[in-house]
Amino acid sequence: MTVEVRLTTTARLKEVLSLPVDAVSIGQEGCAAKLPDTYTLHQAVDRITGTGRRAGLVLPAAWQRTGAQLVAVSRNLAQQGPLTVTVNDLGTAAGLSGSGCELAAGLALMPGRPHNAADAARRPLQPPVFEDAYLQELEGVGIHTLEAEAAAVVPARPGWWVRRLIDVTPLAWARACPTARRHQLAPPHCTGVCDQPVDVVATHRWQLGHGHREPIPVADRPAQVPLTVYGNAVYAATPTAHAGDNDVIIDARFYSPDALAERLTTVRTSVPAASL
């Protein structure tokens, strides 16, 4: 089992490096403007690897104007030593194929969730299901590591590693950022506010069968999970009962320093002794 803590910036790096973690990654899935500059990333990777941990870079899904920039940053960082690069779109994955980095398929590359209101009318979240054929396609660009939510169904495939995000589930990323609009800021001036969480509750849903938006029935509302918006991303709180012997990822944004230290202790003690 390995425990990775994910940061969007380097502001909490000193804190995290003092904790019992095996890896630290920097970045997020949603917005290139939030990614720290190359010099800051170089310093952070040096600090992480200098303590014997695995260093990771999480690249956001690349729109047309940012793809080449993200590939260049990754190749630059990979020259200084071992680096895990999490990609969140297939174009970036193809651009980094053969770069020498360990490539991981990020959370934004999750397949769609099964949807059948007749079978589970009040269940708000169905776990995504990865098909073996999809993993085979990812292998074509050199990916053998997968990031997935805790409940995702992933087929066993030789040579693959799965790292599971615990306690929260990413649901969607918006191309037009609701946080920037809320604060009336434009990139990159909005990056200082996108780690300020906004808690929301779903009151309506899109009815796929009828093609329109409708209020969530009163009977279904107690089953709606709490939602949190960070930047252009929406997450659901889905507490993980225990980590088992899975390789796990913990997103530090959802924890205060004391809560993060406590959660790491809980994760470590949930591992069977035979797995340590």
Side-chain angles (χ1 to χ4, degrees):
M1 174 192 185
T2 62
V3 178
E4 173 181 327
V5 170
R6 178 148 301 168
L7 302 170
T8 58
T9 71
T10 60
R12 295 178 65 180
L13 184 56
K14 180 179 179 180
E15 168 205 335
V16 170
L17 290 179
S18 70
L19 299 173
V21 300
D22 305 296
V24 181
S25 55
I26 299 174
Q28 35 69 50
E29 299 80 18
C31 179
K34 183 65 176 176
L35 195 67
D37 63 78
T38 305
Y39 177 73
T40 300
L41 288 171
H42 268 292
Q43 289 187 312
V45 169
D46 280 341
R47 290 176 65 186
I48 296 166
T49 56
T51 62
R53 272 92 164 198
R54 173 173 55 80
L57 173 66
V58 183
L59 298 179
W63 309 122
Q64 294 89 333
R65 67 182 182 277
T66 58
Q69 168 198 348
L70 295 177
V71 170
V73 168
S74 303
R75 288 184 177 274
N76 188 314
L77 287 172
Q79 292 177 3
Q80 71 184 89
L83 180 70
T84 297
V85 178
T86 298
V87 295
N88 283 287
D89 65 272
L90 295 178
T92 305
L96 289 171
S97 181
S99 65
C101 306
E102 177 199 352
L103 295 182
L107 296 165
L109 282 173
M110 286 192 299
R113 301 175 187 276
H115 177 83
N116 191 332
D119 291 341
R122 298 187 183 183
R123 186 175 181 183
L125 293 180
Q126 297 280 12
V129 178
F130 288 84
E131 301 289 345
D132 191 69
Y134 179 54
L135 300 185
Q136 186 175 347
E137 288 295 320
L138 293 177
E139 285 181 349
V141 290
I143 294 176
H144 294 87
T145 302
L146 182 70
E147 294 182 359
E149 64 181 74
V153 179
V154 182
R157 187 170 177 84
W160 274 80
W161 290 266
V162 180
R163 300 174 185 144
R164 295 185 180 270
L165 178 69
I166 59 175
D167 298 333
V168 295
T169 296
L171 299 181
W173 292 268
R175 187 164 185 174
C177 180
T179 299
R181 290 199 306 272
R182 181 171 184 263
H183 291 274
Q184 299 183 359
L185 295 169
H189 308 291
C190 52
T191 57
V193 298
C194 66
D195 277 351
Q196 297 177 18
V198 177
D199 295 326
V200 296
V201 177
T203 59
H204 289 70
R205 65 186 177 193
W206 188 261
Q207 177 54 258
L208 296 179
H210 301 156
H212 66 268
R213 194 172 69 119
E214 67 177 18
I216 295 174
V218 173
D220 291 356
R221 290 180 186 177
Q224 302 306 304
V225 295
L227 301 176
T228 300
V229 176
Y230 272 111
N232 66 341
V234 180
Y235 298 84
T238 52
T240 306
H242 58 84
D245 57 357
N246 292 306
D247 291 343
V248 301
I249 301 170
I250 299 176
D251 190 328
R253 289 177 296 181
F254 292 88
Y255 302 88
S256 67
D258 288 343
L260 179 59
E262 181 179 353
R263 185 61 175 124
L264 286 168
T265 300
T266 303
V267 167
R268 291 295 190 187
T269 57
S270 73
V271 182
S275 301
L276 295 175

